[in-house]
Amino acid sequence: TEPSVIAMLELFERSIVKLSETQEDMFLPLLQEGMDTELLIDTFMRLGNAAAPAAPRFAECLGHPHATVRRLVAWAIGGLAAVADSMVPILVACIRDDPHEVVRFEAARSLLCLARELPEKALSALAAAVAGHHDENLRAQAYRGLHSVAQEDVRLGLCADLATREALSPHL
């Protein structure tokens, strides 16, 4: 494993500990106090697929008791295209089972990001996960995301249209 990935994981672990010591509503003030979250996000963005060896740890952290941690992890997984195949079912489970709307939304957004690597699998999984979901906002955001993807790329658009039709057909 590259030293940069090890450093990112250490930073990630420190951030989780810091978040775990606080209340959910204390997250924003922590950012203003110089918490490492901005550095963590910047590190994720710079590493991109080089962070793929950390994928099992990210998946593990989707079970963390704090929604803020799960949200950050769900967001980070969207940048791990190199391991997209193994991350799709993990994100789908998060969409279906997480009690917090912001975590479900980030998981859905990450599936849209992973669709560039695995269009059929990621988009079909997203459409199926939100079809009939009790969270109307999540459904609306996901379908807007699918529509947006369809507008950006013809190949992704065909997959998004098909995924949406297949997911909606039992609910019509």
Side-chain angles (χ1 to χ4, degrees):
T1 305
E2 293 182 36
S4 57
V5 173
I6 293 169
M8 182 215 40
L9 279 172
E10 289 171 359
L11 179 58
F12 182 68
E13 294 293 336
R14 285 196 314 270
S15 296
I16 287 176
V17 168
K18 186 71 170 171
L19 288 169
S20 296
E21 294 170 352
T22 65
Q23 298 294 324
E24 290 292 322
D25 57 354
M26 297 292 290
F27 181 64
L28 290 176
L30 283 173
L31 290 177
Q32 296 166 352
E33 292 173 17
M35 192 178 103
D36 287 341
T37 305
E38 283 118 357
L39 178 59
L40 178 63
I41 289 170
D42 182 58
T43 302
F44 281 137
M45 291 173 78
R46 281 187 288 109
L47 284 175
N49 279 327
R57 179 66 180 128
F58 294 150
E60 209 176 281
C61 290
L62 283 173
H64 195 275
H66 287 280
T68 305
V69 172
R70 294 192 313 276
R71 180 183 181 195
L72 178 63
V73 171
W75 171 84
I77 289 172
L80 301 177
V83 290
D85 197 42
S86 63
M87 294 291 103
V88 168
I90 292 166
L91 290 169
V92 167
C94 185
I95 290 169
R96 289 188 178 141
D97 303 332
D98 199 279
H100 289 87
E101 180 180 30
V102 294
V103 179
R104 293 189 303 265
F105 175 76
E106 283 302 330
R109 190 204 56 76
S110 284
L111 277 173
L112 288 170
C113 291
L114 295 178
R116 296 187 189 328
E117 187 68 24
L118 287 173
E120 291 178 33
K121 183 173 184 174
L123 296 176
S124 293
L126 174 60
V130 300
H133 197 283
H134 70 276
D135 184 342
E136 290 181 30
N137 290 331
L138 175 67
R139 283 197 318 269
Q141 290 289 348
Y143 290 131
R144 276 195 287 278
L146 286 165
H147 179 72
S148 176
V149 163
Q151 300 299 313
E152 291 174 20
D153 183 315
V154 172
R155 178 181 65 114
L156 292 176
L158 294 172
C159 292
D161 288 345
L162 180 61
T164 303
R165 281 191 201 115
E166 286 177 1
L168 289 178
S169 61
H171 301 282
L172 296 176

